[in-house]
């Protein structure tokens, strides 16, 4: 998807501490720290905003904080099955947690063994040929090295506090919001995933929710549809 977007937009991926090729950190995985760890590399690299944030999953919480505290730096938000702060309470879900003992999975070689025995479970779900053998080898290596590391565990165990800090926030009305969500409807007390998202962004001057068949990682299998919808949405909302 990055390749497809890069034909039209400047795409920047900031890998948080503990993910991808990034280092580890001892800093608390608070929403404040994580947002600043996104902003600072952009500024140091002289990549000027405002930015179109594209959060996936729990990053929806960070995007909510970012847009509220630095609204002039956010041109639009495009979420991919994002977790928004009010979602857990709405559907009666408890935030995920992870035992600290998991941090030994990679150093002890357990992650490497798991990947070797069942690599299908750890590789991106994608069409054949989308990733080269070299890319798949790198993904397996990163998983073996970074699997369940201390920063990921710290972040998972900080979700409840980060939700509490952002639950009262709403995305500023001037920020256009496009949300892609998997076409699996949770329903609790008459509220569905679709109706939740629609209510959350109803006050935006430009908003849209697109439901796609697939799983939580929609960008792995539905990248073409996401890029096409994103281009159409942004064409009428942003000057560039």
């Amino acid at each position: 998807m990055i390749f497809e977007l890069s034909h039209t937009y400047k795409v920047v991926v900031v890998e948080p501490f503990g993910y991808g090729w990034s280092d580890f950190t001892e800093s608390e995985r608070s929403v404040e720290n994580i947002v600043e760890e996104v902003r600072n590399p952009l500024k140091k690299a002289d990549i000027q905003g405002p930015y179109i944030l594209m959060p996936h999953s729990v990053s929806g919480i960070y995007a909510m904080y970012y847009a509220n505290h630095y609204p002039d730096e956010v041109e639009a938000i495009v979420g991919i099955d994002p977790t928004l702060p009010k979602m857990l309470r709405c559907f009666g879900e408890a935030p995920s947690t992870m035992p600290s003992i998991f941090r030994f999975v990679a150093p002890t070689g357990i992650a490497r063994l798991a990947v070797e025995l069942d690599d299908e479970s750890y590789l991106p779900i994608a069409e054949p040929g989308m990733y080269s053998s070299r890319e798949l080898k790198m993904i397996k290596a990163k998983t073996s090295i970074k699997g369940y590391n201390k920063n990921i565990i710290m972040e998972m165990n900080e979700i409840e506090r980060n939700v509490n800090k952002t639950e009262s926030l709403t995305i500023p009305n001037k920020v256009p919001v496009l949300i892609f969500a998997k076409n699996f409807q949770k329903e609790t007390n008459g509220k569905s995933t679709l109706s939740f998202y629609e209510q959350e962004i109803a006050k935006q001057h430009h908003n849209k929710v697109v439901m796609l068949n697939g799983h939580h990682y929609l960008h792995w299998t539905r990248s073409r549809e996401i890029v096409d919808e994103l281009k159409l949405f942004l064409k009428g909302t942003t000057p560039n």
Side-chain angles (χ1 to χ4, degrees):
M1 189 169 72
I2 292 174
F3 175 76
E4 293 163 315
L5 284 172
S6 65
H7 292 302
T8 307
Y9 307 101
K10 182 171 186 175
V11 181
V12 180
V13 178
V14 180
E15 293 187 328
F17 286 115
Y19 292 87
W21 298 115
S22 287
D23 295 329
F24 298 115
T25 182
E26 297 300 327
S27 297
E28 184 181 54
R29 298 296 77 209
S30 65
V31 63
E32 297 94 336
N33 286 347
I34 290 173
V35 168
E36 291 305 318
E37 290 162 3
V38 171
R39 295 180 71 235
N40 291 337
L42 294 172
K43 296 186 180 305
K44 287 182 179 179
D46 196 27
I47 299 171
Q48 302 298 319
Y51 313 107
I52 297 169
L53 304 181
M54 203 164 183
H56 168 250
S57 192
V58 72
S59 295
I61 295 171
Y62 312 141
M64 177 72 79
Y65 182 94
Y66 199 133
N68 272 268
H69 287 76
Y70 307 104
D72 293 338
E73 296 181 16
V74 180
E75 192 165 301
I77 294 176
V78 179
I80 300 178
D81 209 31
T83 299
L84 298 182
K86 294 183 179 68
M87 190 171 250
L88 297 180
R89 187 183 300 275
C90 175
F91 293 104
E93 296 178 352
S96 299
T97 57
M98 194 176 289
S100 296
I101 196 172
F102 275 32
R103 67 194 302 171
F104 298 108
V105 167
T108 57
I110 295 174
R112 183 181 298 108
L113 178 62
V115 171
E116 289 301 323
L117 292 175
D118 184 21
D119 60 4
E120 291 293 324
S121 298
Y122 296 92
L123 294 175
I125 300 170
E127 296 175 3
M130 180 171 288
Y131 294 94
S132 68
S133 58
R134 179 174 177 271
E135 289 170 330
L136 292 174
K137 185 177 180 179
M138 285 196 300
I139 292 170
K140 290 168 69 173
K142 285 196 291 185
T143 302
S144 298
I145 295 168
K146 293 287 183 71
Y148 300 108
N149 65 73
K150 65 179 182 181
N151 287 157
I152 290 176
I153 294 170
M154 290 165 65
E155 182 181 7
M156 291 292 288
N157 293 335
E158 194 70 22
I159 288 177
E160 184 172 11
R161 282 186 287 270
N162 287 336
V163 165
N164 291 338
K165 292 174 184 176
T166 54
E167 195 171 12
S168 62
L169 302 179
T170 56
I171 300 170
N173 295 349
K174 70 173 186 175
V175 178
V177 180
L178 171 63
I179 291 178
F180 296 97
K182 62 181 183 294
N183 202 14
F184 171 76
Q185 293 288 294
K186 296 178 185 175
E187 293 202 16
T188 302
N189 298 324
K191 181 78 72 175
S192 67
T193 306
L194 175 59
S195 63
F196 169 80
Y197 281 133
E198 288 179 334
Q199 180 177 316
E200 283 294 287
I201 64 175
K203 294 182 179 179
Q204 313 313 121
H205 74 272
H206 199 69
N207 67 76
K208 187 175 183 180
V209 179
V210 178
M211 307 299 288
L212 296 172
N213 291 328
H215 48 74
H216 186 47
Y217 296 87
L218 289 168
H219 47 290
W220 284 351
T221 55
R222 308 305 298 270
S223 61
R224 292 185 181 89
E225 294 97 322
I226 289 174
V227 170
D228 289 344
E229 285 281 358
L230 183 150
K231 288 180 177 178
L232 287 173
F233 182 81
L234 295 179
K235 190 177 292 185
T237 62
T238 60
N240 299 314

